[in-house]
Amino acid sequence: MKKLNQEAMKDIIRVKSLISADVETLLNQQIKKEAQSSSAYLSMASWCDRNGFDNSAEYFFKQAEEERQHQMKFFRYVLDMGGSALSPEITNVKIEYNSFREIFEEALDQEISVTQSIKNIAARCHKEQDYVTVEFLNWFFKEQREEEYKARRALELFDLIGEEGTGRWEIDKHVGKIHYGNEAGE
Ligand SMILES: [Fe+2]
Ligand SMILES: [Fe+2]
């Protein structure tokens, strides 16, 4: 009898989610944000490819894949914590851009907004002493440091090189060489 009770207790513990309903909601919003980022980058890759900026197209294809991985990381985390991960619906994906430069401006804005949104989740987690999720989020802060650096670097090229003459062609060439970090990967 005693053994049975212990088994029953275990089940009760197992069904309980390890994250609060509020944190679960914020994480699901983040899943959507990462999916939106991925779709936006894919659109940017398409525009760049159509307009002859092959290196930038490759750069954005890679970013699109990374955002998909971010989405999956959040998705699996919610499930691992006993929550419900929701597959998001992505609508209103932009297809046309006014200029080559506008794409990089939007890319940087997007990364800044993602960093802010992860900060908001962390703030909520600190408030309710959810240090498990805080620890999980730390990987993303490091990732955002890299993502924002690359997006800023790309945009800087427009001022450094200038768009006149073969400028855009030169910018595209340099976008392909943007690199972050040292050999240790820090
Ligand atoms: Fe991301
Ligand atoms: Fe990103």
Side-chain angles (χ1 to χ4, degrees):
M1 192 62 193
K2 200 175 173 224
K3 196 162 183 275
L4 262 178
N5 280 342
Q6 275 175 352
E7 288 297 323
M9 278 296 288
K10 265 196 214 161
D11 279 344
I12 289 165
I13 291 164
R14 210 180 302 137
V15 295
K16 229 182 128 185
S17 173
L18 296 173
I19 47 174
S20 72
D22 282 350
V23 169
E24 186 182 318
T25 301
L26 289 173
L27 290 173
N28 269 310
Q29 283 168 1
Q30 192 62 35
I31 286 168
K32 182 163 183 161
K33 237 177 182 322
E34 300 292 344
Q36 281 166 335
S37 294
S38 186
S39 291
Y41 278 136
L42 204 52
S43 261
M44 291 173 184
S46 170
W47 190 94
C48 287
D49 187 88
R50 284 179 346 247
N51 288 277
F53 302 114
D54 289 351
N55 292 305
S56 301
E58 279 312 311
Y59 173 83
F60 287 122
F61 271 124
K62 196 165 165 276
Q63 292 305 117
E65 266 173 39
E66 281 191 19
E67 300 305 344
R68 170 72 180 179
Q69 285 168 12
H70 298 166
Q71 182 198 345
M72 296 313 289
K73 254 184 201 283
F74 279 109
F75 202 88
R76 285 181 181 275
Y77 179 77
V78 171
L79 291 174
D80 287 350
M81 292 295 107
S84 294
L86 309 174
S87 184
E89 187 182 4
I90 306 305
T91 50
N92 297 321
V93 180
K94 203 166 164 175
I95 294 166
E96 281 304 332
Y97 296 87
N98 293 316
S99 67
F100 189 34
R101 185 188 181 114
E102 185 185 83
I103 287 190
F104 288 94
E105 284 168 349
E106 286 199 12
L108 177 58
D109 284 349
Q110 181 174 284
E111 291 302 337
I112 291 170
S113 138
V114 164
T115 305
Q116 189 54 51
S117 138
I118 299 172
K119 278 183 190 171
N120 293 344
I121 306 173
R124 175 72 218 178
C125 291
H126 273 288
K127 211 171 163 189
E128 50 182 81
Q129 298 189 320
D130 179 355
Y131 301 120
V132 177
T133 303
V134 168
E135 197 272 334
F136 165 75
L137 292 175
N138 282 338
W139 182 89
F140 287 93
F141 284 121
K142 205 172 166 187
E143 181 72 7
Q144 284 311 112
R145 199 172 78 191
E146 176 176 339
E147 302 259 285
E148 279 199 32
Y149 170 88
K150 290 201 297 195
R152 282 206 174 79
R153 196 78 196 102
L155 201 50
E156 273 168 18
L157 294 173
F158 285 80
D159 293 327
L160 287 169
I161 297 168
E163 293 186 66
E164 301 76 32
T166 55
R168 285 190 203 98
W169 180 83
E170 197 70 39
I171 291 165
D172 180 59
K173 210 167 96 181
H174 281 80
V175 166
K177 294 178 193 157
I178 293 173
H179 174 75
Y180 177 81
N182 55 34
E183 282 177 11
E186 293 299 317

